[in-house]
Amino acid sequence: MTRIDPVIATEHELHDLFVAGLDGDAAAYHRFLQRLGALLRGYFRRRLQQLPDEVEDLVQETLMAVHTQRQSYRRGEPLTAWVHAVARYKLVDLWRRRERHEALNEPLDDDLAVFATADHEAGESRRDLGRLLEQLPTNQRLPILHTKLEGLSVQETARLTGMSESAVKVGVHRGLKALARLWKDMT
């Protein structure tokens, strides 16, 4: 008897419910949101052990973002990778908000204004990188996104995307070469 990997089973379950919801099945969409909410709670609890009061807010923010951005999902791509990116952005936003709040309690020095441009440039760089990544095929974009930008291992990326580990490695290698060419063409 073949045992199905729970990560793959979850991907299929969520994908089927989400797509059915996109196609107008309200009950399936409701089940999708309930199931996803439970998974997000676990995801955020593991990452916010020192901030347990923030977990539910992040779950709700992520569910709202998934709902409002649902039409941007590409049906042929792994849903959990897309949702993970949304959740990760919400988590990073929380860390930034907390960092800004904590910075308000520190004395500011006039010389610190020199560093304001670096944040703006970093934002522009992230946008540029996002545009470049969008030009790559899925089998290159997702491995780069997960291994290089999100810090997942090759094995985790393979499980998340449904690709083999060697395909993830090849995707990263070819994708980075393609990004270098695209970047060269931009400059």
Side-chain angles (χ1 to χ4, degrees):
M1 183 169 150
T2 308
R3 193 168 163 228
I4 298 175
D5 184 335
V7 173
I8 293 171
T10 300
E11 168 65 33
H12 290 302
E13 174 193 7
L14 290 175
H15 181 271
D16 292 347
L17 290 171
F18 186 69
V19 169
L22 290 178
D23 291 339
D25 184 341
Y29 191 65
H30 181 72
R31 284 193 312 274
F32 163 76
L33 291 174
Q34 286 180 321
R35 178 76 167 106
L36 181 59
L39 293 169
L40 288 170
R41 278 181 195 86
Y43 173 81
F44 289 128
R45 270 192 204 113
R46 284 188 301 278
R47 284 153 183 80
L48 297 170
Q49 292 178 8
Q50 303 301 320
L51 303 168
D53 295 341
E54 299 288 350
V55 170
E56 196 57 35
D57 287 345
L58 277 183
V59 169
Q60 296 305 316
E61 286 178 31
T62 305
L63 289 174
M64 289 297 297
V66 165
H67 176 72
T68 57
Q69 298 173 19
R70 67 189 179 279
Q71 296 305 326
S72 71
Y73 171 67
R74 297 177 186 163
R75 291 180 185 228
E77 293 186 6
L79 177 69
T80 51
W82 181 74
V83 170
H84 181 259
V86 173
R88 186 163 166 77
Y89 287 125
K90 292 299 175 185
L91 187 59
V92 169
D93 286 345
L94 169 71
W95 288 331
R96 285 185 185 139
R97 281 192 310 267
R98 291 189 62 82
E99 188 175 296
R100 277 193 295 266
H101 176 72
E102 290 172 9
L104 292 175
N105 296 322
E106 294 178 17
L108 294 178
D109 208 348
D110 289 340
D111 294 341
L112 293 179
V114 170
F115 298 109
T117 56
D119 188 42
H120 176 68
E121 291 170 3
E124 286 179 2
S125 296
R126 279 191 297 275
R127 273 193 307 278
D128 290 344
L129 179 58
R131 288 184 189 126
L132 291 173
L133 282 171
E134 283 298 316
Q135 296 178 45
L136 295 179
T138 303
N139 64 340
Q140 294 174 1
R141 181 178 61 254
L142 290 179
I144 290 173
L145 176 72
H146 295 306
T147 61
K148 300 300 181 186
L149 300 178
E150 295 174 357
L152 297 179
S153 70
V154 170
Q155 185 179 29
E156 290 170 319
T157 300
R159 272 198 313 262
L160 188 63
T161 61
M163 300 169 70
S164 69
E165 290 182 30
S166 62
V168 169
K169 292 176 186 176
V170 169
V172 168
H173 178 75
R174 290 181 180 165
L176 290 176
K177 280 188 165 188
L179 281 176
R181 283 192 302 275
L182 290 168
W183 178 254
K184 186 177 178 184
D185 293 343
M186 262 182 63
T187 56

